Amino acid sequence: MSAPLDDLMMDYPLTLTQFFERSRRLFGKKTLATRRPGQPLFRYTYADFAERTRRLAGVLRDLGVRKGDRVATLAWNSHRHLELYWAIPLSGAVLHTLNFRLSAQDLTYIINHAGDSVVFVDSSVWPVLAAIRDRCPSVRTIVVMHDGPPSVGGQAGAEVAAPADLPEYEALLEAAAPVREWPTLGERDAAGMCYTSGTTGHPKGVVYTHRALYIHCLAQAMTDSFGLSETDVILHIVPMFHANAWCVPFTGTMLGATQIFGGPNPQPRDICGLAQAEKVTFVGAVPTVWIAVKELVDEEGYDISSIRCIPIGGSAAPRSLLEHFDKQVGASMMHAWGMTEMSPLGTLSRLKSYMRGWPEDQQYAVRAKQGYVSVGVDLRIVDDAGHEVVWDGASMGEIQVRGPWIIRSYYDNPESADRFTADGWFRTGDVATVDPEGYVQITDRTKDLIKSGGEWISSIDVETMIMGHPKVLEAAVIAVPHPRWVERPLACVVPRPGVTLEPREIVDYLRPRLAKWALPDEVVLLDAVPKTSVGKFDKKVLRERFRDRASKES
Ligand code: AMP
């Protein structure tokens, strides 16, 4: 009989503890910073961060937080929020990032459903919690982090300051004894949770294991992924409550990168100012943010060319935006697709080496797609009949994924069992094609597709095209009912400031670019496209607004 051959490597648990301890030892001199409105950046070192995170773990212990307890944050992006990102999971508890832009009703539901026992809240966000705290019986402790006066969520004139008798973060930290020995954790232990702002029904909880985050961080840092390294200067603008700011604060800390947090309510001018002054190399955000930044750079001439990579996702990025940032700003965008349920990374649009010699037009056509699947994720496209479709760039179907950082089940939500297939895949609800090179192109969310006279029209296709018009700032396309064709597209367009735009100009612009039946019958001009709590176009609101608008064309 031969000697045992299999399983001779250590069964080492993949937990965030390993990343934290390694960073603490290696990168003590590196910098972390937070923007403070009207003041210079707050700066400290990784050594300070590590010591404060250990003290924060001492605070959690003193507050009676136990393994598996849900500890919530209601906070802007800051170094304190980063301390919570690490101290909570490393203590064995579950970091629950709350989106303070949700309605009071949704937020109350989420806190109660998760059973949060402690909430760490920025003083500037206090009015949001003040309005609902009586309806959240599981919350036994609230800790206030003083970051400024109330500025979010309160009605004008009705903003309330956090009560002085609530425990305060810095005072608790000061008084606590640091934790020097972290508890031993299993890699399948829950580390964090995040609720998706679903469009139907209640929000659903996604629970990240240590293992999922660990593997996701490694994959995200890869050169062919976000290509992050210790040398990067990362600016965090994606809210830390939105899919863990796309997981980048975990990956950045793992690597010892310089990290700058956007602080309370960062505006395009803050992003440009910080990027220019701090020589930022990496900053992600949703397209609506970059559309606003583009306008500002054009008007005021910031030099943000230090940025080597702008991951852009959350919704489709128009090709015209990628091109503008390359040519006028000198900062390269990388289109990516993912979801809260996917930690969030799914696909990234990088050119393959041999595509670099292709004509420019073809290169942009590739880069405007959502890209090919990340290492670690399996992806297939399945049609209505349940068959996998071919990668021909034309056949459409739902994207289904599986992998070590993809959700297996929502938290305590049996009604959502239909989001998972019998053979172990997650049904994303996104409709896409994949071309023979493997580049995924998102056509729509299932619910946003427009079915007109038996033909599918991709609202994303039409709106990204409209946003290529030089006079257009933003565009969202929705379906309106039609007696003959069932649905027809309606384009909601926001002109760039100071320009005169006629709806007819949009239709003329689209005519040579689109099939006749995909041309919007009507173009309405708006001052702004309504946005969701994470800055995406809110088509639900638009659909509601134009519900009774029957299409004009017969
Ligand atoms: P969230 O969980 O809030 O991040 O939302 C995930 C959803 O955003 C996905 O299911 C897509 O519908 C959409 N999304 C994310 N990235 C992109 C992208 N690059 N292009 C188009 N849609 C996207």
Side-chain angles (χ1 to χ4, degrees):
M1 225 177 80
S2 62
L5 190 63
D6 294 332
D7 206 13
L8 292 182
M9 288 287 168
M10 290 182 187
D11 190 7
Y12 182 87
L14 309 181
T15 66
L16 294 175
T17 317
Q18 200 273 340
F19 289 167
F20 176 86
E21 282 302 313
R22 176 175 172 278
S23 270
R24 184 181 67 76
R25 282 163 190 261
L26 294 181
F27 306 118
K29 293 182 190 152
K30 294 291 306 283
T31 301
L32 296 160
T34 299
R35 172 185 146 266
R36 296 178 296 188
Q39 291 180 62
L41 287 185
F42 169 83
R43 291 177 201 270
Y44 71 175
T45 64
Y46 267 61
D48 300 327
F49 156 73
E51 185 58 18
R52 281 169 56 94
T53 301
R54 290 164 147 195
R55 280 181 180 274
L56 179 55
V59 170
L60 295 172
R61 183 193 49 206
D62 297 347
L63 291 176
V65 170
R66 291 178 202 286
K67 190 160 192 303
D69 283 356
R70 272 75 69 205
V71 177
T73 60
L74 200 59
W76 292 106
N77 293 1
S78 73
H79 60 288
R80 290 184 183 134
H81 210 160
L82 188 73
E83 291 160 6
L84 290 157
Y85 256 49
W86 290 91
I88 296 169
L90 265 54
S91 301
V94 184
L95 166 77
H96 180 194
T97 50
L98 294 167
N99 176 348
F100 49 74
R101 295 207 178 98
L102 293 179
S103 67
Q105 193 187 352
D106 276 351
L107 209 48
T108 312
Y109 171 84
I110 288 171
I111 292 174
N112 287 325
H113 187 264
D116 295 331
S117 55
V118 181
V119 182
F120 286 80
V121 58
D122 275 345
S123 54
S124 63
V125 189
W126 168 255
V128 175
L129 188 58
I132 60 171
R133 67 189 285 212
D134 292 347
R135 285 179 272 156
C136 303
S138 61
V139 176
R140 54 179 170 74
T141 308
I142 294 172
V143 178
V144 177
M145 303 185 281
H146 284 299
D147 70 330
S151 62
V152 187
Q155 304 288 323
E159 288 165 353
V160 274
D165 59 348
L166 286 178
E168 190 271 323
Y169 189 86
E170 294 297 332
L172 290 180
L173 230 59
E174 182 86 3
V179 164
R180 302 271 172 223
E181 288 288 326
W182 295 109
T184 304
L185 302 174
E187 64 179 22
R188 286 180 167 74
D189 291 351
M193 78 193 300
C194 196
Y195 278 69
T196 58
S197 33
T199 44
T200 50
H202 285 306
K204 297 191 277 291
V206 177
V207 183
Y208 306 106
T209 58
H210 278 263
R211 182 174 191 272
L213 294 178
Y214 187 108
I215 304 174
H216 182 276
C217 284
L218 295 179
Q220 186 171 54
M222 281 180 12
T223 312
D224 279 344
S225 182
F226 280 8
L228 284 163
S229 89
E230 182 272 333
T231 57
D232 271 308
V233 180
I234 301 171
L235 174 59
H236 292 293
I237 294 299
V238 177
M240 288 171 84
F241 57 70
H242 183 201
N244 295 324
W246 302 352
C247 207
V248 179
F250 284 122
T251 307
T253 310
M254 169 188 90
L255 295 164
T258 302
Q259 298 183 75
I260 302 166
F261 295 85
N265 213 3
Q267 298 301 306
R269 188 164 279 107
D270 300 313
I271 299 173
C272 292
L274 284 170
Q276 179 171 282
E278 301 296 319
K279 301 261 177 293
V280 166
T281 61
F282 185 95
V283 46
V286 292
T288 49
V289 169
W290 296 114
I291 290 169
V293 167
K294 167 182 172 286
E295 290 298 301
L296 199 69
V297 173
D298 286 357
E299 276 166 29
E300 299 184 10
Y302 288 92
D303 178 5
I304 58 170
S305 58
S306 58
I307 304 175
R308 63 161 187 80
C309 181
I310 299 177
I312 180 167
S315 46
R319 166 192 168 149
S320 52
L321 197 63
L322 306 184
E323 213 169 324
H324 186 93
F325 267 77
D326 275 350
K327 293 179 179 167
Q328 310 297 327
V329 183
S332 178
M333 289 186 152
M334 182 175 61
H335 204 184
W337 165 82
M339 298 176 82
T340 303
E341 289 90 333
M342 301 172 66
S343 301
L345 190 58
T347 66
L348 294 122
S349 204
R350 281 190 176 278
L351 289 175
K352 297 179 189 173
S353 52
Y354 55 84
M355 294 175 176
R356 291 175 199 278
W358 287 7
E360 183 185 283
D361 198 47
Q362 245 174 298
Q363 292 193 20
Y364 278 115
V366 172
R367 285 181 53 202
K369 295 186 178 183
Q370 280 73 7
Y372 56 82
V373 69
S374 164
V375 69
V377 179
D378 290 340
L379 178 144
R380 68 183 184 189
I381 308 287
V382 177
D383 67 16
D384 284 347
H387 301 124
E388 203 176 330
V389 307
V390 286
W391 290 12
D392 60 3
S395 307
M396 272 194 313
E398 182 187 39
I399 308 182
Q400 300 185 353
V401 287
R402 62 179 185 191
W405 61 78
I406 311 290
I407 189 170
R408 185 170 66 78
S409 173
Y410 288 100
Y411 172 61
D412 189 17
N413 195 319
E415 313 86 85
S416 302
D418 62 347
R419 294 294 299 273
F420 305 90
T421 67
D423 59 345
W425 295 68
F426 170 61
R427 304 181 51 197
T428 65
D430 281 332
V431 178
T433 59
V434 187
D435 67 22
E437 292 279 1
Y439 287 77
V440 172
Q441 181 159 26
I442 309 284
T443 316
D444 255 320
R445 292 292 294 166
T446 334
K447 64 185 179 338
D448 291 338
L449 269 175
I450 302 165
K451 184 114 194 210
S452 180
E455 296 282 357
W456 290 109
I457 301 172
S458 155
S459 67
I460 292 184
D461 249 14
V462 184
E463 63 204 26
T464 52
M465 217 172 266
I466 298 176
M467 283 191 272
H469 190 291
K471 290 189 180 174
V472 171
L473 188 67
E474 296 174 342
V477 173
I478 54 164
V480 289
H482 189 280
R484 177 159 169 217
W485 303 116
V486 185
E487 287 180 345
R488 291 292 299 145
L490 170 87
C492 306
V493 176
V494 180
R496 292 184 67 183
V499 304
T500 319
L501 177 69
E502 294 295 329
R504 179 182 40 77
E505 293 177 66
I506 298 298
V507 181
D508 289 346
Y509 176 78
L510 292 177
R511 196 166 286 118
R513 295 172 164 85
L514 271 183
K516 187 166 179 295
W517 44 266
L519 277 180
D521 291 343
E522 196 180 355
V523 175
V524 289
L525 300 180
L526 304 179
D527 291 338
V529 175
K531 313 280 184 326
T532 69
S533 62
V534 290
K536 305 182 190 190
F537 293 153
D538 197 337
K539 296 194 182 176
K540 203 167 50 158
V541 172
L542 286 176
R543 273 194 287 266
E544 192 56 29
R545 192 182 298 173
F546 295 107
R547 199 168 32 143
D548 301 326
R549 188 91 152 219
S551 185
K552 284 178 182 163
E553 201 100 316
S554 60

